[in-house]
Amino acid sequence: MNENMNESEGSTVRVVFISLLLDLLAFTMILPLLPALLDYYKEIENGSGLYSTILSHIKTMQVFFDAPDRVSTVLYGGFLGSMYSFLQFLGSPLIGALSDIYGRKPLMLLCLTGISLSYLLWAFSTNFGIFVLARLVGGINKGNISLSMAIISDVTSSKTRGKAMALVGIAFSIGFVVGPMIGAFFAWMLSDNRQGTWYVMPALFALLLALSDLFFVAYYLTESLPLKHRASTLAKGLSGAISYINPIDLFQFKGVSDLSQRDQRDLKTLGRVYFVYLFIYSGLEFTLTFLTHYKYGFTSMQQGWMFLGMGLIMAILQAGWVRRIQPHRTKAVTELGLWLIIPAFVCIGVATGVPILCVGIFLFAVSTAMVVTCIMTLVTRIGPEHQKGVITGTFRSLGALARACGPIVASSAFWCIGSTTTYLIGALFLTLPPLILHRMRAL
């Protein structure tokens, strides 16, 4: 732990880091499994159940758009992805508000218990309806990530907070590199038994990770919010949460006070850039596993290797270059990253073979390593110190809202007009964020 942190700070940050790592490993396991999992539910229901009921209602549209039946699962995937993020968007601020009253640890334990329950439901999801319920329970309880940020803010000073938050980024990098590989390994190991309930073993392993996280936090995490700093009433705690849920308040940054006109203008500009970018990016990113599954016939193991490659590129760039970018270069690097994502999706969209696809995926990983980290760095330079938590919380909510909208829109386009047109239109609209950012002053 950094030498500027005292032992108490360092101990709490270590606990948060390990907790996030366990959570993200379990959360990302399903990524390479999702297309095959949805195909499985389609096969076993075969005319009855929630999957078939939904499918019967979209048959008319399917004929109108001449959409192939084999890619209909992308619609279900988009719905599940958007539902999960939307529930997280609604739940995280409310859980944060309750933690302001009752403390961080009780709410953290509640979230981790709910997440464990979601994996247990997944293990018993003998039909699509139970699987949807599992994702719903998981999304509602996904406030543990925001609580982790709040705990770090509670125990660190302005001088040590950046170093602690960097560990959060490392936990995400490791989780999104190793987690999909674990899921892909299970898929490979069970490849000869896809007719049975093959998803039970990865679901139980995710449950094991979630329970380990729950017991680890219960034993090692100390309460970080003293009684004297807690909100006195539920109304007072929820008043701040509302500004994170109301989209109009979010885009106007109404929850932030003591801003100069210039800072307010810069925040609104960055907010628009961040939302438009993540809305399009998250949607196209979500459909990537379906593209490789249906167009290129990637197995879950091959998708795991794809995620591993992307994760390693991002981790290497973030550890070796992005975190060392000079302050006066941050805005320029952000613009470069925003421009790079455009040829990335063009290559992915027009590719007729794996080599061009790999070029697109490489550019995608390079851009991803640059953009969000640099945008959040720019955000931290705006506003007074005592408002930094509110500002970053607002941006997290904007990101959650974008991720709640992106997958369902992109998946619907993928199904209606095909992957190539969807990626090219997405690339066209991705020209907006760098153009908007270019007009903003350097920070």
Side-chain angles (χ1 to χ4, degrees), residues 2 4-5 156-164 385:
N2 187 273
N4 293 323
M5 282 188 192
T156 56
S157 65
S158 58
K159 293 182 179 179
T160 59
R161 193 166 300 138
K163 301 284 185 182
E385 183 62 35

Side-chain angles (χ1 to χ4, degrees), residues 20-251:
L20 275 175
L21 184 58
L22 290 170
D23 174 69
L24 290 165
L25 287 174
F27 172 71
T28 56
M29 276 180 55
I30 199 173
L31 294 179
L33 301 176
L34 190 56
L37 194 58
L38 292 173
D39 282 342
Y40 167 79
Y41 288 122
K42 181 180 179 180
E43 291 173 8
I44 64 167
E45 293 200 357
N46 193 27
S48 63
L50 180 61
Y51 192 106
S52 298
T53 300
I54 296 173
L55 187 60
S56 66
H57 284 88
I58 62 174
K59 283 289 186 181
T60 303
M61 291 187 294
Q62 184 176 345
V63 172
F64 179 79
F65 289 110
D66 194 28
D69 183 64
R70 68 188 182 92
V71 301
S72 62
T73 52
V74 73
L75 283 177
Y76 295 81
F79 162 73
L80 289 172
S82 286
M83 180 193 73
Y84 195 94
S85 294
F86 183 70
L87 291 170
Q88 186 178 359
F89 166 71
L90 292 178
S92 292
L94 297 177
I95 289 170
L98 291 172
S99 76
D100 288 340
I101 301 169
Y102 301 109
R104 311 296 189 206
K105 186 172 181 177
L107 271 296
M108 178 68 86
L109 294 176
L110 180 64
C111 286
L112 296 178
T113 300
I115 290 170
S116 299
L117 176 61
S118 74
Y119 293 129
L120 181 63
L121 286 169
W122 178 23
F124 286 95
S125 59
T126 53
N127 58 61
F128 184 63
I130 300 176
F131 182 69
V132 171
L133 178 62
R135 300 303 289 173
L136 188 147
V137 171
I140 290 174
N141 289 281
K142 206 56 183 172
N144 64 309
I145 293 178
S146 293
L147 284 177
S148 297
M149 306 293 187
I151 291 169
I152 289 177
S153 297
D154 291 339
V155 302
T156 56
S157 65
S158 58
K159 293 182 179 179
T160 59
R161 193 166 300 138
K163 301 284 185 182
M165 290 296 184
L167 283 177
V168 173
I170 293 172
F172 270 84
S173 295
I174 296 174
F176 277 84
V177 169
V178 180
M181 283 304 300
I182 296 174
F185 172 76
F186 276 108
W188 170 77
M189 187 173 65
L190 301 168
S191 58
D192 294 331
N193 188 33
R194 282 297 178 89
Q195 300 304 313
T197 53
W198 57 271
Y199 56 85
V200 172
M201 284 189 66
L204 289 177
F205 188 77
L207 174 62
L208 176 63
L209 290 173
L211 289 175
S212 299
D213 191 6
L214 174 62
F215 292 127
F216 175 78
V217 167
Y219 188 79
Y220 287 105
L221 183 66
T222 56
E223 180 55 56
S224 63
L225 186 63
L227 285 171
K228 63 181 180 180
H229 292 150
R230 296 184 188 180
S232 55
T233 65
L234 182 61
K236 184 176 180 180
L238 291 177
S239 63
I242 293 174
S243 64
Y244 292 127
I245 297 175
N246 186 331
I248 296 176
D249 288 350
L250 278 177
F251 284 103

